[in-house]
Amino acid sequence: MHFAIALASLGLLAKARAQQVGTYTTETHPTLNIQKCTTSGGCSTVSGSVVIDANWRWLHSTSGYTNCYTGNTWNDDLCPDPVTCAENCALDGASYSSTYGITSTGTALTLKFVTKSSTTNIGSRLYLLSDESTYKLFQLKNQEFSFDVDVSNLPCGLNGALYMIEMDEDGGTSRFTNNKAGAKYGTGYCDTQCPHDIKFINGEANTLNWTASTSDSNSGTGYYGTCCPELDIWEANKMSAAYTPHSCSIQQQTRCSGTDCGDDSSDERYDGICDKDGCDFNSYRMGNTSFYGEDKIVDTTSKFTVVTQFITDDGTSSGTLSEIRRLYVQDGVVIQNSKTDISGMDDYNSITPEFCTAQKTAFGDTDSFTSKGGFSSISTALENGMVLALSLWDDHAANMLWLDSSYPTTADSSDPGVKRGECSTSSGSPSDVEANYPDSSVTYSNIKYGDIDSTYST
């Protein structure tokens, strides 16, 4: 799950990833309590809060108000090299509602797409904390995870994503001494796209070979990427949805360079240490075009519950992950996941190693998921513990067509696996959705985890 970040730098604010800590704005994390459930004892509240990713924050000199990063350019005086930049620059607290459009009731988190104050902010990405300076780690083998979601205000081209990544629990402070901010300020991001737009990686500024984006006035790319296993529990708008595990040959946040990053720009997508395609289950792409959407079986005009179950080969938490199941609950009715309707494939309705192999064969896709570790990689990540990310974003790379339209656009839309939703191939441009759908939003609520079949009711 990788997306560009936009906070237009008007006045003193600028978007950036920092490692030192500023003192001009107090960091107050919005409350987001969740529940832990058992089949024998029901559900109990687990206190929690959320923190916005450091890339959205004001980055300024440790001695004053001077921006270390403005628009998509570093301050050469404060950031002559990666280590000096980390020492000179401080990450400050966030005004969650007024600047970023983030509100919480305590159990429901709403993310607004475009928020205008003294700045213009686009989208957001947050992480669940167990305390003020520690991300909550989810160990979900032989467990299930559920949440309610309202995607009725998410048009083509937007993605409300809830996913797990194998970030450091402390945001990287114990491994990287230059990182003084840590999880309290949302540091340490990684995913299987090995993104290069993360401004601080391993406690150092990603200033080497920094290139400003030609399509995003607030973003750019540096020499390094940051990689780790990723489990996309939910990527969706009101038109299409998918859940997707992505594997890696490494098992913690890892800084990459060169071929290891698997960059498309160097034609090395399948040569890196992580699987960028994943093994996705998108009901529309898998042949059932009447399952998910407005006024369909899972009706996106109103809220529903998403349940994901992580089944092991021996039915215990010490077993190996063997299946990722999906079901929905809406208006008190349990809805089993759709089944595949693709020539050459059995009637799968969950993600298994067999499903992944069959899907890649049927669609003629490269099976990088299996070659980078497949289910073994995800099983290990779920045993180690993964951090929960909640986000809303638009897509400067592919206009979200890979989620809700025909993709790649050069392929015949009648070919198996090309059509992923009903959105037009001309939809999803960030300039369009930011101008015409600024009030879009997503709400995640009633997050629960625990024993299989313990987090939902009918």
Side-chain angles (χ1 to χ4, degrees), residues 63-350:
S63 60
Y65 291 85
T66 302
N67 288 342
C68 290
Y69 182 94
T70 303
N72 51 22
T73 304
W74 292 93
N75 183 313
D76 290 337
D77 292 332
L78 291 169
C79 296
D81 62 75
V83 173
T84 302
C85 187
E87 295 170 347
N88 285 345
C89 298
L91 180 72
D92 227 298
S95 299
Y96 282 81
S97 177
S98 61
T99 301
Y100 303 107
I102 298 164
T103 56
S104 176
T105 67
T107 58
L109 182 72
T110 297
L111 310 181
K112 188 173 180 289
F113 181 41
V114 178
T115 303
K116 293 188 176 183
S117 54
S118 59
T119 68
T120 297
N121 179 71
I122 311 298
S124 57
R125 180 172 65 220
L126 300 99
Y127 312 116
L128 187 69
L129 295 165
S130 60
D131 59 43
E132 283 294 292
S133 58
T134 309
Y135 297 131
K136 179 169 180 59
L137 293 184
F138 287 88
Q139 296 167 305
L140 292 174
K141 289 199 302 181
N142 197 43
Q143 298 274 285
E144 72 180 23
F145 182 96
S146 70
F147 62 99
D148 293 350
V149 67
D150 185 345
V151 296
S152 62
N153 196 29
L154 288 183
C156 296
L158 295 187
N159 187 340
L162 182 152
Y163 59 110
M164 302 279 185
I165 38 184
E166 201 174 351
M167 294 168 64
D168 289 1
E169 185 178 23
D170 62 5
T173 55
S174 61
R175 286 205 291 150
F176 310 113
T177 56
N178 282 341
N179 183 350
K180 306 301 183 185
K184 181 177 181 178
Y185 290 86
T187 70
Y189 185 71
C190 56
D191 65 33
T192 50
Q193 304 305 312
C194 301
H196 287 263
D197 67 342
I198 305 305
K199 295 183 177 57
F200 277 79
I201 303 173
N202 291 10
E204 298 179 359
N206 196 16
T207 55
L208 298 179
N209 297 349
W210 185 264
T211 303
S213 170
T214 58
S215 65
D216 186 345
S217 61
N218 293 286
S219 186
T221 56
Y223 178 70
Y224 294 109
T226 178
C227 317
C228 64
E230 173 183 355
L231 176 57
D232 295 328
I233 292 177
W234 184 250
E235 294 188 277
N237 52 40
K238 65 182 179 181
M239 306 299 291
S240 291
Y243 73 109
T244 311
H246 297 259
S247 60
C248 290
S249 60
I250 47 89
Q251 287 298 159
Q252 65 176 3
Q253 182 275 325
T254 300
R255 187 170 70 176
C256 72
S257 62
T259 300
D260 281 350
C261 296
D263 296 330
D264 286 330
S265 60
S266 56
D267 197 26
E268 295 178 314
R269 182 176 183 85
Y270 299 110
D271 299 325
I273 58 177
C274 288
D275 156 48
K276 300 195 174 191
D277 293 353
C279 175
D280 65 297
F281 199 112
N282 173 332
S283 293
Y284 198 103
R285 189 183 189 215
M286 299 315 302
N288 190 329
T289 61
S290 61
F291 182 73
Y292 178 93
E294 294 180 307
D295 301 318
K296 296 185 179 183
I297 295 172
V298 177
D299 182 5
T300 59
T301 63
S302 62
K303 183 172 68 174
F304 51 89
T305 303
V306 181
V307 183
T308 310
Q309 300 176 330
F310 301 94
I311 309 301
T312 59
D313 56 357
D314 64 0
T316 72
S317 60
S318 60
T320 299
L321 182 71
S322 60
E323 181 181 11
I324 306 174
R325 294 178 185 165
R326 166 58 50 84
L327 58 89
Y328 301 87
V329 183
Q330 190 168 37
D331 298 328
V333 177
V334 175
I335 304 169
Q336 298 298 325
N337 195 30
S338 62
K339 293 183 178 181
T340 57
D341 186 13
I342 299 293
S343 177
M345 294 187 69
D346 292 338
D347 293 337
Y348 297 100
N349 71 341
S350 65

